[in-house]
Amino acid sequence: MATAQPRIPPRGALGRLLLSLAVFSFACEGCEKVTLNIPSKLEADKIVGRVNLKECLRSADLIQSSDPDFRVLDDGSVYTASTVVMSDEKRSFTIWLSDTKTQTQKEIKVLLEHQKKVLRKRDAKEAILRRSKRRWAPIPCSMQENSLGPFPLFLQQVQSDAAQNYTIFYSISGRGVDQEPLNLFFIEKDTGNLYCTRPVDREEYDIFDLIAYASTADGYSADLPLPLPIRVEDENDNHPIFTEAVYNFEVPESSRVGTTVGVVCATDRDEPDTMHTRLKYSILEQSPRSPGIFAVHPSTGVITITSHYLDRETVEKYSLIMKVQDMDGQFFGLISTSTCMITVKDSNDNAPTFKQNTYEASVEENAYNVEILRIPVEDKDLINTANWRANFTILKGNENGHFKISTDKETNEGVLYVVKPLNYEESHQVILEIGVNNEAPFTRDVALRMATMNRALVTVHVRDQDEGPECSPAAQYVRIKENSAVGSKVNGYKAYDPETNSGSRLRYKKLHDPKGWITIDEISGSIMTSKILDREAMTPGNDVYNITVLAIDQDGRSCTGTLAVNIEDMNDNPPEILQSYVTVCKPKMKYTDISAVDPDEPIHGAPFYFSLANTSPETNRMWTLTRVNDTAARLSYQKNAEFQEYSVPITVKDREGQSTTKTVRVNLCDCTHPSQCLAARRSAEVILGKWAILAILLGIALLFSVLLTLVCGVVGAKKKKGFPEDLAQQNLIISNTEAPGDDKVCSGNGFMTQTVNSSGQGFCGTMGSGVKNGGQETIEMVKGGHQTLDSCRGTGHHHTLDSCRGGPLEVDNCRYTYSEWHNFTQPRLGEKLHLCNQNEDHVPSQDYVLTYNYEGRGSPAGSVGCCSEKQEEDGLDFLNNLGAKFTTLAETCTKR
């Protein structure tokens, strides 16, 4: 294969090249030759091809071309520097690679070839160069993106070694041939020349994987199918594009130099990792045109702050025109722009300041909760934010708490109030020192610059006001000895007039005196005892006797104060023994403790001295007292003491000799716990009170009145009672028996008739009997509707039940014998009893009629009425022995 000779540069260019390389003293080594296929004409800044520089010299830092019509980039891309026209078929130039650090240089020969001739068919008689190692191999091939032609554009020739012996026909298939995009490539059947029919966009198709076939005329495949990749060489035909048309960033105005504001980013559709997609960012324009506020990193697009002059109060928003350029920012790279809006956020870098250094205000004395002054401030920070809102503080002059200052949220003014009344007589004016800060803390720079807060002085003038007397202090104290004589005088409460600072024209009155012990002098205010003072009579734990005093001036204005009287204690009370009765369980308890208290103050009280009073020798022998502590003693008994109650007199003295004697009752009991003896004692000593005795007497009187009423009612009943026709419906039967019955007629069913002989007064009811003055009355059944029993009076007559209502009935017709009455009532009573013995569900009830068991013998009352089967003749004998009171009652009823 023939090789093209490199073109020799002109003498001037060669001189410049030798001059530039004069600093190197080394031999130049050659690398592999590169052949590039180009059209006959190339415009300026068009790519010719790419050379792999890394394989030749990886550390090259200086790249130069021997032909000024061509320039070589860092990635090996070869571009035309001007319009190139291929006058002949071949052209070459050299690329010099230099490493200045290691003083190494290498060169690459580049051959530019423009082949127009087409291979003709071989004659079978021509000599054939035979290859023995390779018969059918892929040939690397590429084409320029957006090529200008001419079309069809020859790419390369495909040949099979089988063509040396056979007539071979070539064909291709794949994307760009029989797949989209269709008919982009074709191959000459006889020669194997491959052509492209139109321009190709690499961003749409970056490579075409074709398959070439070699076959004979009869269709025999001379070789296996040959993969034939055709790579589309990228052309810088796509502008880089920012990801956003407008970027919005925010940055605090207090940010330091180097603070990141934001990041801009652009994309390029050209081939990655080439100069076509190597982007460089820059700022084209800044508005407003402040010098050097922002900078952008050329490779990453990070925007940072480069100046200390970022101030929101000066410029609140910046607009940057951002530029991105491919080809690593070289002048022939493609450019795009975008807008970046940067908002400066407020920081508290401006302290609030007073408009004046001094202020004045006035207020009347005794006024409070009033506004007296408004203090305006200035702050350049953003309004209605924590950086702008002011906080006011009273630094000096408010030690007594008369003033308060707050902030008006709308106007940001300091509002000064008087919250505690001022006194003109004490001070005519007050000077306050006011300081102001913001709600938010200052930035670090401002805090270092301002050692103290901004301050102002406020002078408050107090206006005089004619006011009433003043009770100051509110509580005044005096001392009086306990048990002082009535009429003892002591200095009292003293008020004064603040206008004259004197109390000579004031009058005093007593508003409150809990026990009425004190009187007060109206003119001088001194006090005098009206009763003997008793410290122990006051509230326990309170040694001060408080009196409320009213002071009045001549105009009727007043004030109130408290006179606290401290009553000095005197030893006027002996100690008192607390126990009166104690129980000692023998032998479990060997002793009992006796304690005492003294209402006087401790200086007149404990320690106490206990002793047995002058008693009998027996008591002194049986009991002993020993000291336990200052307020208690231990009472012990001898082992031979008997179980009984003892009276032990004990004397107790305080430290000043005041003494008292008290007899303590000691119950020496055989028990395990004192509560056992106390319970037995209570049961043995039950004493009826006067109300209990009265209740018993009233009960006895009530019982006598009931008995008297019953007895007298039998004698004096005269009115007739109604007798129902159906006796079976009566549930109550009145039966009065004042004496043992003489005649009893009892049936097996428990119903009877009886005649009674006794002295008394007859009583007629629904069914009953009675005898008066020895007369006899018979119980009979009355027949007829609505009949009554007629109680008849007379001496020695036989009384019967007569029909008084219901028509003219004969007496004989109204009387029935006992058998008739029994036959009439028995079935009806049985039916009633059966019905009553059932509950509402008509089931026999278990608790309506109860069977009463036999309760034993010996009851003086005998059986209960005539329902008993036994006939006890003397069952009512006990009524003859009721005593004198009942005999007198019976005689009284008899006389009546």
Side-chain angles (χ1 to χ4, degrees), residues 136-138 156 158-159 169-174 187 192 194 209-215 223-229:
W136 183 246
Q156 68 176 356
V158 178
Q159 288 184 339
F169 298 100
Y170 299 94
S171 62
I172 57 174
S173 66
I187 190 170
L194 181 64
D209 293 320
L210 304 181
I211 298 177
Y213 304 93
S215 59
D223 278 305
L224 294 175
L226 172 67
L228 186 62

Side-chain angles (χ1 to χ4, degrees), residues 409-611:
K409 300 299 182 182
E410 299 295 331
T411 63
N412 209 33
E413 295 175 321
V415 184
L416 185 63
Y417 295 90
V418 174
V419 295
K420 185 178 178 181
L422 294 166
N423 193 339
Y424 176 82
E425 288 72 27
E426 293 181 358
S427 177
H428 296 352
Q429 70 178 17
V430 180
I431 298 177
L432 303 176
E433 185 177 8
I434 309 296
V436 63
N437 269 330
N438 289 123
E439 290 184 2
F442 292 122
T443 60
R444 183 174 179 272
D445 296 338
V446 178
L448 293 176
R449 188 170 66 250
M450 294 184 56
T452 59
M453 67 175 65
N454 203 322
R455 306 181 181 211
L457 294 179
V458 178
T459 302
V460 181
H461 301 279
V462 183
R463 297 194 299 268
D464 188 23
Q465 187 181 34
D466 188 12
E467 51 192 349
E470 185 169 336
C471 295
S472 179
Q476 300 178 13
Y477 295 85
V478 296
R479 298 180 68 87
I480 303 179
K481 289 187 177 181
E482 185 182 16
N483 301 326
S484 296
V486 176
S488 300
K489 289 187 177 181
V490 182
N491 291 332
Y493 193 89
K494 296 297 181 182
Y496 69 96
D497 188 345
E499 305 297 331
T500 62
N501 203 21
S502 171
S504 58
R505 297 183 180 181
L506 301 179
R507 294 178 292 110
Y508 298 90
K509 288 185 179 181
K510 182 178 66 173
L511 288 181
H512 180 63
D513 183 2
K515 296 186 178 296
W517 288 347
I518 301 297
T519 58
I520 189 168
D521 187 89
E522 184 177 355
I523 304 301
S524 64
S526 61
I527 62 173
M528 183 172 57
T529 59
S530 59
K531 295 180 182 179
I532 296 178
L533 307 184
D534 186 4
R535 189 192 69 86
E536 289 74 31
M538 295 190 304
T539 303
N542 187 9
D543 295 338
V544 177
Y545 184 71
N546 292 325
I547 302 169
T548 305
V549 179
L550 178 69
I552 309 172
D553 64 4
Q554 294 178 346
D555 296 330
R557 292 169 295 195
S558 63
C559 68
T560 58
T562 300
L563 183 64
V565 180
N566 191 344
I567 301 177
E568 297 182 6
D569 183 45
M570 304 296 291
N571 192 12
D572 56 344
N573 294 281
E576 298 178 0
I577 296 176
L578 298 178
Q579 292 81 4
S580 297
Y581 182 89
V582 294
T583 301
V584 180
C585 290
K586 179 184 177 183
K588 185 176 182 180
M589 298 171 57
K590 302 296 183 181
Y591 55 84
T592 185
D593 289 339
I594 305 299
S595 58
V597 295
D598 194 331
D600 291 326
E601 288 187 355
I603 193 174
H604 302 305
F608 300 141
Y609 304 95
F610 295 86
S611 62

Side-chain angles (χ1 to χ4, degrees), residues 650-662:
I650 300 174
T651 300
V652 59
K653 295 181 181 180
D654 59 20
R655 65 171 63 190
E656 296 183 357
Q658 284 272 16
S659 64
T660 184
T661 301
K662 182 176 182 180

Side-chain angles (χ1 to χ4, degrees), residues 279-347:
L279 308 181
K280 182 171 288 188
Y281 300 92
S282 60
I283 299 175
L284 278 182
E285 182 182 349
Q286 175 181 301
S287 178
R289 295 180 178 276
S290 299
I293 298 296
F294 304 99
V296 61
H297 191 279
S299 300
T300 61
V302 176
I303 302 174
T304 56
I305 297 174
T306 60
S307 173
H308 295 282
Y309 302 106
L310 193 63
D311 187 6
R312 188 204 65 84
E313 288 72 36
T314 303
V315 178
E316 187 174 359
K317 184 172 289 189
Y318 290 89
S319 175
L320 304 180
I321 303 300
M322 305 300 300
K323 182 186 79 169
V324 61
Q325 188 173 15
D326 59 14
M327 302 300 293
D328 200 22
Q330 298 188 52
F331 68 92
F332 50 83
L334 301 180
I335 298 173
S336 291
T337 60
S338 178
T339 301
C340 180
M341 304 300 297
I342 300 177
T343 302
V344 182
K345 294 193 300 183
D346 185 48
S347 297

